[in-house]
């Protein structure tokens, strides 16, 4: 274990050199991210099982599973507004501890409405921990360390997509649906323990804002660079949700017709993203934010036609490219927000995350309707439109 804040002082924000213990600290940052959001997408791996369990359509079940993004959007805004007054360590610790409650209750949710409400509650807790951790990193890391720290955090997010889905599929295949949620509740508590031992208690950075949080948020929206970054975040999760929610139904239907455990193994497609996302900070430093995001979105776009092929190998290759591209773009955009907001970074990060998670909720609703009414090809076309819009918005990310 290592104290995330031990080698970093608030004054270090202006430093140009890496602080000591960067590798070990990055590992702990990644583990914290993993245990914070492991519940978010793991449930997607068992969507077909949940659909049969509740007797609903893919779109209805997809919306219920991704309702967590609604809670995350709300919590991101609330935490962002009150960020200057929240102790980072206490807030993260409390959020992860409370997260275990709705997670365990999902095991006995009697109907889809209760399931959806519990997913929203999960989202509230996950986003609170997520937003406070991002604010903590932005305040405590030096200029040189910030890119690596944010990349490590997003990499932990990527790893949660892979490992979480594998665990979920394996548990449901070998035991039963309820045990899946009990196990993830235990992981939430593990995250709280990790935070307890690695983040030192400290007060948040001085707010430095003579105006209200609302006025600060409005000022961020008036900044065209930040406004574009918020829109890019919306489009990224819109596209990601559309791809990795509804492709599950394509994989279990003919001609692919995968079983539950095979469906879990499919998510090794996220393994390349675990490696590539770590390079996002270096790519931004060398190429700049705008070219990095354009390149990442282009990689994701190349994967879309492959996912419409009737052969498993091509579909998997397409999933790899979409995963690599969207996570890389997300890491670059997240780091950009922290740099573009010269003050009130907590509010800027909260606004970005709210837009990001709103994109996931809207993507689920819109692309779910397309999937149910017109099929997978229409859903993929919607994903492509979101990636194209993100590329257009990146024009505003001038240095």
């Amino acid at each position: 274990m290592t104290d995330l804040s031990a080698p970093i002082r608030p004054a270090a924000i202006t430093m140009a050199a890496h602080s000591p213990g960067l590798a070990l600290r990055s590992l702990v940052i990644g583990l914290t991210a993993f245990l914070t959001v492991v519940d978010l997408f793991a449930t997607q791996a068992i969507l077909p099982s949940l659909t049969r369990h509740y007797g609903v359509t893919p779109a209805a079940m997809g919306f219920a599973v991704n309702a967590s993004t609604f809670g995350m959007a709300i919590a991101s805004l609330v935490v962002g507004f009150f960020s200057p007054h929240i102790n980072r360590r206490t807030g993260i610790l409390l959020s992860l501890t409370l997260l275990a409650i709705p997670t365990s209750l999902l095991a006995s949710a009697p109907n889809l409405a209760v399931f959806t409400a519990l997913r929203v509650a999960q989202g509230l807790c996950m986003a609170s921990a997520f937003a406070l951790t991002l604010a903590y990193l932005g305040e405590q890391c030096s200029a040189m360390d910030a890119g690596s720290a944010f990349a490590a955090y997003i990499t932990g997010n990527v790893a949660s997509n892979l490992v979480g889905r594998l665990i979920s599929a394996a548990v449901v295949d070998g035991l039963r649906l309820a045990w899946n949620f009990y196990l993830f509740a235990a992981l939430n508590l593990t995250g709280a323990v990790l935070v307890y031992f690695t983040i030192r208690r400290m007060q948040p950075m001085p707010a430095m804002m003579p105006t209200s949080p609302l006025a600060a948020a409005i000022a961020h929206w008036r900044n065209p660079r930040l406004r574009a970054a918020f829109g890019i975040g919306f489009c990224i999760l819109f596209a990601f949700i559309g791809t990795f929610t509804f492709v599950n139904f394509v994989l279990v239907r003919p001609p692919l017709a995968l079983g539950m455990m095979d469906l879990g193994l499919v998510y090794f497609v996220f393994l390349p993203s675990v490696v590539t996302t770590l390079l996002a900070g270096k790519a931004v430093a060398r190429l700049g934010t705008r070219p990095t995001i354009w390149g990442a979105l282009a990689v994701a776009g190349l994967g879309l036609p492959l996912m419409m092929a009737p052969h498993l190998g091509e579909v998997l290759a397409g999933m790899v490219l979409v995963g690599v591209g969207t996570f890389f773009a997300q890491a670059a955009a997240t780091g950009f927000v922290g740099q573009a907001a010269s003050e009130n970074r907590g509010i800027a990060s909260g606004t970005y995350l709210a837009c990001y998670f709103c994109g996931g909720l809207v993507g689920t609703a819109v692309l779910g309707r397309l999937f149910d009414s017109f099929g997978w090809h229409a859903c993929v076309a919607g994903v492509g439109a979101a990636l194209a819009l993100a590329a257009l918005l990146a024009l505003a990310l001038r240095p």
Side-chain angles (χ1 to χ4, degrees), residues 55-372:
V56 296
T57 65
M61 197 68 242
F63 184 84
V65 164
N66 293 315
S68 52
T69 57
F70 177 69
M72 296 186 89
I74 293 174
S76 296
L77 279 178
V78 172
V79 171
F81 270 46
F82 294 100
S83 176
H85 310 291
I86 300 175
N87 180 280
R88 306 303 189 225
R89 180 179 184 271
T90 302
I92 299 168
L93 189 60
L94 184 62
S95 298
L96 290 176
T97 303
L98 291 176
L99 176 57
I101 297 174
T103 302
S104 59
L105 290 176
L106 281 168
S108 55
N111 53 53
L112 194 63
V114 174
F115 185 97
T116 303
L118 290 172
R119 286 293 284 174
V120 172
Q122 278 188 305
L124 290 169
C125 297
M126 281 188 281
S128 297
F130 197 96
L132 287 171
T133 304
L134 287 181
Y136 173 87
L137 295 177
E139 293 166 354
Q140 301 303 317
C141 290
S142 68
M144 284 294 290
D145 288 347
S148 297
F150 283 116
Y153 198 71
I154 300 302
T155 301
N157 188 341
V158 178
S160 74
N161 276 267
L162 167 59
V163 180
R165 291 171 200 259
L166 287 173
I167 293 173
S168 196
V171 171
V172 171
D173 188 54
L175 298 172
R176 57 190 178 93
L177 209 54
W179 281 102
N180 171 73
F181 298 110
Y182 293 139
L183 177 60
F184 280 97
L187 289 175
N188 299 149
L189 294 176
T190 302
V193 171
L194 178 67
V195 168
Y196 181 84
F197 286 106
T198 58
I199 294 184
R200 187 178 60 193
R201 183 182 298 275
M202 60 179 58
Q203 293 302 316
M205 295 289 288
M208 293 190 303
M209 59 178 184
T211 55
S212 68
L214 179 60
I218 292 173
H220 287 322
W221 276 104
R222 287 176 175 168
N223 184 329
R225 300 166 71 213
L226 283 174
R227 193 165 59 239
F230 299 157
I232 290 170
F234 180 97
C235 293
I236 288 172
L237 196 59
F238 185 105
F240 182 88
I241 285 282
T243 301
F244 291 102
T245 295
F246 299 106
V247 75
N248 291 284
F249 297 102
V250 175
L251 292 169
V252 299
R253 293 174 180 174
L256 301 178
L258 299 183
M260 181 54 62
M261 196 58 232
D262 290 333
L263 184 61
L265 293 174
V266 158
Y267 286 97
F268 273 107
V269 296
F270 287 121
L271 195 56
S273 300
V274 175
V275 178
T276 57
T277 305
L278 282 171
L279 304 175
K282 293 181 179 179
V284 170
R286 176 169 296 185
L287 304 174
T289 300
R290 186 164 53 179
T292 299
I293 290 179
W294 277 337
L297 294 174
V299 169
L302 290 173
L304 298 184
L306 293 174
M307 289 195 304
M308 294 188 288
H311 305 295
L312 181 61
E314 292 172 89
V315 174
L316 295 180
M319 293 171 69
V320 168
L321 292 174
V322 173
V324 167
T326 52
F327 278 118
F328 208 91
Q330 160 70 346
T334 302
F336 177 83
V337 171
Q339 295 172 355
S342 56
E343 56 185 19
N344 304 319
R345 287 189 175 94
I347 293 177
S349 294
T351 304
Y352 172 82
L353 289 175
C355 293
Y356 177 73
F357 293 122
C358 276
L361 187 67
V362 174
T364 300
V366 172
L367 298 174
R369 181 60 61 89
L370 287 175
F371 183 81
D372 275 356

Side-chain angles (χ1 to χ4, degrees), residues 8-61:
I8 310 173
R9 299 178 179 84
I13 297 175
T14 58
M15 291 171 59
H18 289 297
S19 28
L22 179 61
L24 182 57
R25 190 168 60 255
S26 295
L27 175 61
V28 175
I29 289 169
L31 281 173
T32 303
F34 173 88
L35 294 167
T36 299
V37 296
V38 69
D39 305 86
L40 182 58
F41 296 117
T43 313
Q44 289 182 349
I46 57 172
L47 265 172
S49 295
L50 288 168
T51 301
R52 290 192 298 270
H53 179 76
Y54 288 104
V56 296
T57 65
M61 197 68 242

